[in-house]
Amino acid sequence: MTDPRILKVRPGPEDYAWTFGGAPPVARIAPGTVLDLYTEDCFAGRVRSEYTEDCFAGRVRSEKDLVSVVCEFPFLNPQTGPFHIEGAEPGDTVAVHFVSVEPARDWAASTTVPLFGALTSTHATATLQPPLPERVWIWQLDRTRRTALFRARDSDLELELPLDPMHGTVGVAPSNLEVRSALVPDAHGGNMDTPEMRAGVTCYLGVNVEGALLSLGDGHARQGEGETCGVAVECAMNTVVIVDLLKDVATPWPRLESDTHLISTGSARPLEDAFRISQLDLVQWLVRDYGFGELDAYQFATQAVESPVANVCDTNYTCVAKLRKEWLPARQPHRGLHARLRETARTLRL
Amino acid sequence: MTDPRILKVRPGPEDYAWTFGGAPPVARIAPGTVLDLYTEDCFAGRVRSEYTEDCFAGRVRSEKDLVSVVCEFPFLNPQTGPFHIEGAEPGDTVAVHFVSVEPARDWAASTTVPLFGALTSTHATATLQPPLPERVWIWQLDRTRRTALFRARDSDLELELPLDPMHGTVGVAPSNLEVRSALVPDAHGGNMDTPEMRAGVTCYLGVNVEGALLSLGDGHARQGEGETCGVAVECAMNTVVIVDLLKDVATPWPRLESDTHLISTGSARPLEDAFRISQLDLVQWLVRDYGFGELDAYQFATQAVESPVANVCDTNYTCVAKLRKEWLPARQPHRGLHARLRETARTLRL
Amino acid sequence: MTDPRILKVRPGPEDYAWTFGGAPPVARIAPGTVLDLYTEDCFAGRVRSEYTEDCFAGRVRSEKDLVSVVCEFPFLNPQTGPFHIEGAEPGDTVAVHFVSVEPARDWAASTTVPLFGALTSTHATATLQPPLPERVWIWQLDRTRRTALFRARDSDLELELPLDPMHGTVGVAPSNLEVRSALVPDAHGGNMDTPEMRAGVTCYLGVNVEGALLSLGDGHARQGEGETCGVAVECAMNTVVIVDLLKDVATPWPRLESDTHLISTGSARPLEDAFRISQLDLVQWLVRDYGFGELDAYQFATQAVESPVANVCDTNYTCVAKLRKEWLPARQPHRGLHARLRETARTLRL
Amino acid sequence: MTDPRILKVRPGPEDYAWTFGGAPPVARIAPGTVLDLYTEDCFAGRVRSEYTEDCFAGRVRSEKDLVSVVCEFPFLNPQTGPFHIEGAEPGDTVAVHFVSVEPARDWAASTTVPLFGALTSTHATATLQPPLPERVWIWQLDRTRRTALFRARDSDLELELPLDPMHGTVGVAPSNLEVRSALVPDAHGGNMDTPEMRAGVTCYLGVNVEGALLSLGDGHARQGEGETCGVAVECAMNTVVIVDLLKDVATPWPRLESDTHLISTGSARPLEDAFRISQLDLVQWLVRDYGFGELDAYQFATQAVESPVANVCDTNYTCVAKLRKEWLPARQPHRGLHARLRETARTLRL
């Protein structure tokens, strides 16, 4: 029997959102709600005529399915949601605790996309060179052994990597009356593409509009740091999250918290600005919640921080700044919410 | 009794180099030589008149020693070397295996420096704002417990971090007839400031001039990724390296190899260019030494790479791209040199 | 008697738009319509309660009116419009010919804004430094002598500059289902802040949604290239434009045409990407309309182009690439529309 | 009869410098010396064996002479000099007044260079794409009509542009004990590639080493702003300069002064940092020499500045910030030196 505390959401093809902001909520939920969600992969997209659920979902499912042929801008990166969180107002913070993130299929797809990615010129880093060849890799997922199998296209090479499922895109409606494509990461979250967004972490997002309008998608069976070619091991997901609300706590840029780390993010171009935002946010976190003076926090973070790149391919680049909690004084950041959600998660019957 | 294979080098105040290229070699060594080196901290510097060895070494040794007062540009970041490696010619690669990197003192210093660092405007990111306050932190090192003690300046906070000794600066003479300050990281290595440069790794540097002219310095008792405030836990070091030579192997950008990882680096501005260089180098490494096709390597690295930032404060920023060897086919990159040097290191009587 | 071909639009306080996309059209117009518009200055903004038209318009009207006090985000940079252009569809191009741009008041305002501008850290180029002081300058405009008078705040210095009225913001609804703040420049136009947008030029904008949804605002009595402090000599304007439509002509990035120049623009970060976009667009313009091969166009433009910076303060930076028509073969780009609109403008009774 | 005040310098193939700093002076000159110089084009280069003066000079002289074949790194961009200026010491400023800059041949060459230029990936903006095709254009110069003739390679198009001769490279030995390639622009000047460096202007360069060690080269028959493809209309030059010295005047970044404009420069990456440096320098110029308060100067320059890009292809990018003198109070910046040198130039018998 399903846990009665859990709201199960299985969107139909018409139910996905393609933007943060600008889409009507699919449900209103109370803080504390557990959502059992299905998210489609980033290639799933609306087909205007004669579509069926099947063709919605499976746009890139073989090595022959080139993105430039089977996908239609802007109907890329479908988001499950948005959810209107009751009581959420600008100045508050939404917390999304990831209870589990599990691949919904036994395969995943990755590709090159013309003029997209870090090791190619793009529409912004514009050159006269032709794009790289378009190519698809289908990865086999072994959900028992927790592996993803890479099969080379130009040789017989086969290599296994560990599964490390995550969501590339988690966000709320943006500020400034804006509506942003689901492909964009910014202060509202969105397409940050950090592998830190995995089961066990809590993501904090500042609320910009009434109800927050939370949505998520873009599951990755795994992803390297930087998402270099622009596309991870893209996979539909079954994901359980607990959504909660911190009243009167502002969160200018998305933060994550795990059992072991405080994690700040920043999204901007050039990449050093994303780095600056994430590091300054971490410094301010130490000041607000851990009793540091500002320059002391700057000094301490300088020596202690881990700074993995998240993405260097999207419309903004994203950097992460991580600090081990065990090196810090014992405190309860964000009113101890992560620990409480972690505890709640343990009690769920999934 | 000292191992007769080891050349011990203890530079006097006049013996340090302030540049890569342009300084006469302090010794000629054969490939395979083990160097037992002393390196001064980055604040040590030449004083033109009446100096003594003591004041050379100890420019920042208390909270009162502000860099802007006690240090004199360009006499910062002294390098031990350069060493002329016999037989090294352009087109070859020098290998520097770090056997041990040990703090030479029981304290280390860090500071803010006016208009230097990631969270301040600088001489390049020029603004009308005044610089941040100048402040010094003296860290106590416990070499038995392997910890560094942070004492806050604005509160009573005291926190311990693990020692993780490394060298911020390792390089050879640059190409193009240039001489570069020891504060600069670029294709010749130099001031890359990556915490990956620790005991147990082998650093590969492409040779640009006859004899290579290797030097190193800038020891850090530990450093976060990005060296956010511009200054790590700066410390004099006793360091043992084995220097070797790979004839007819080109290394366009510095590479590191550990028992567990292949590690490429790139140094440039903006930071995304440093990222691009390091990731492309890793892709090309997979192609050259692991039998990947180029697009297959791009895809595989995208899903497997770790991408920590090294520094976002120096004249070029540095990014690192790391890949776990266990996920790759079993091969011997760089002719298996790392494994051999590791073995040699085990036999040394230090 | 007013020219019957002219549609006069004088918006009330409720009639302005704060975004590109997402706002309902204020009027539907046929291609060829002449619009006689009033635009408010960038500081004008909605006040939720008890507002009067007067306080809407005059938020910064003396040296005491600090932006951080009198303005309310996101109600900044009000746009007159949007106008639904009949027949405009994605893949078409809207042409906006500026017949006249005249200051509507005899004064204009400029300011520093905390953490905004090129010579300060910002929310993206984030540092620990405090913001620059906030200060207002009121410029007196002499519309007869065509001058703007600068009065220094810290001395008795008074200097005159020539009036050179322009619009900082001209754009259409963006692509990808997005709604963007009127403060943003991007491929849809928007807040490009180039002084080239003056009387006598035609601005070409690619259509992304049915009806295009054109709006404009942000008049500047004059502006230097780069809008260094982030704020020009901001002024309400009386502006006459002719709006026309080029069916089946795509315009990926905004272009301008004057009697003397072809002008391409690009908006991105870092600034070199804005440069690349604008230069590539100019190369492609030479290829499409002037019979150049691509590499020939690259070579010719390299030697002939003028490349003034437009803004280095907004959420994207904007670069301009200009080429003298007299140096090119005689052709009629964009179907000769600029010349025809210029002729029509001469026949208007304003 | 030649003016006895003039020192004529016609370097032999062995006499050129390839770096700023690190090359012995070719002559010692007193402040006030007039130099009548010959400079080779950027493609001229040393050939180690069997070279003759002829082959030194003419590496790219037909459409068949590809840079990658006929040129040898680092022997590119030869500089005439360096000149040791008697009495020049760190903290002083060297002034170089360009009396005349005249093409020494009736042809000039331009090319694409693999992985160099703004509209291609490069060694820093590294991608997996192949380089653009390598192509040479030979421009015919008509020194009577003052035109340069472009002949398209892919069509019959022939177009004339005005001659506007200039020097891409002017600089002194750098600071910090460095030696920089003649291809690098930085605070010491060098390869700034701004078309502002033409006859009639005075260039001010801060002195870093005793004697300053001034050299110049890289003549361009003309160049667009940004030097988009990386190569201008490259030409040997006969150039007359007056070299003078301002004792105890510091010039952190190169400045130019013409009869009409104050001109600041900045060279850095990303391009916005070059912009920031140049604009801040202009603001500081107004403060030091024109009696502005700092924020007043920021405001005034914002509204008055012209900001053409100089180069977006070299190892640092260069921006220019220009202000019309007629808009400023009447002052004599740099002790009125430009006006005096202009007067001296008029009296020369060339």
Side-chain angles (χ1 to χ4, degrees), chain A residues 154 222 225 271-272 307, chain B residues 154 225 271-272 296 303 307:
Chain A
D154 292 336
R222 72 166 288 117
E225 292 165 350
L271 184 56
E272 54 262 41
S307 307
Chain B
D154 292 336
E225 292 165 349
L271 185 56
E272 53 263 40
D296 282 332
Q303 316 311 345
S307 307

Side-chain angles (χ1 to χ4, degrees), chain D residues 9-16 26 37-40 53 79-81:
Chain D
V9 177
R10 292 293 175 273
E14 293 289 10
D15 299 334
Y16 290 94
V26 294
L37 305 173
Y38 177 83
T39 66
E40 253 308 330
E53 183 168 354
Q79 300 298 304
T80 298

Side-chain angles (χ1 to χ4, degrees), chain B residues 300-320:
Chain B
F300 185 79
T302 294
Q303 316 311 345
V305 73
E306 297 164 67
S307 307
V309 166
N311 95 72
V312 191
C313 56
D314 295 320
T315 47
N316 287 310
Y317 303 141
T318 302
C319 268
V320 159

Side-chain angles (χ1 to χ4, degrees), chain C residues 286-337:
Chain C
L286 295 182
V287 170
R288 188 181 76 180
D289 289 354
Y290 288 86
F292 283 75
E294 199 172 63
L295 287 175
D296 283 331
Y298 190 25
Q299 169 63 208
F300 185 78
T302 294
Q303 315 311 345
V305 72
E306 298 164 65
S307 307
V309 166
N311 94 72
V312 191
C313 56
D314 295 320
T315 47
N316 286 311
Y317 304 140
T318 303
C319 268
V320 160
K322 298 172 63 173
L323 204 52
R324 280 188 186 275
K325 290 172 164 181
E326 65 177 311
W327 294 346
L328 290 169
R331 299 288 164 91
Q332 295 290 337
H334 294 106
R335 300 177 186 160
L337 185 57

Side-chain angles (χ1 to χ4, degrees), chain B residues 247-329:
Chain B
K247 289 298 294 180
D248 302 316
V249 173
T251 301
W253 283 90
R255 289 178 177 176
L256 291 82
E257 187 179 350
S258 70
D259 291 354
T260 57
H261 283 83
L262 306 184
I263 306 171
S264 287
T265 71
S267 296
R269 288 191 179 199
L271 185 56
E272 53 263 40
D273 274 2
F275 176 86
R276 287 181 180 115
I277 292 167
S278 64
Q279 300 278 326
L280 180 59
D281 186 76
L282 187 63
V283 165
Q284 291 172 334
W285 199 345
L286 295 182
V287 170
R288 189 180 76 180
D289 289 354
Y290 288 86
F292 283 75
E294 197 171 64
L295 287 175
D296 282 332
Y298 190 26
Q299 170 62 206
F300 185 79
T302 294
Q303 316 311 345
V305 73
E306 297 164 67
S307 307
V309 166
N311 95 72
V312 191
C313 56
D314 295 320
T315 47
N316 287 310
Y317 303 141
T318 302
C319 268
V320 159
K322 298 173 65 172
L323 205 52
R324 279 188 185 276
K325 289 172 164 180
E326 65 178 312
W327 293 347
L328 290 169

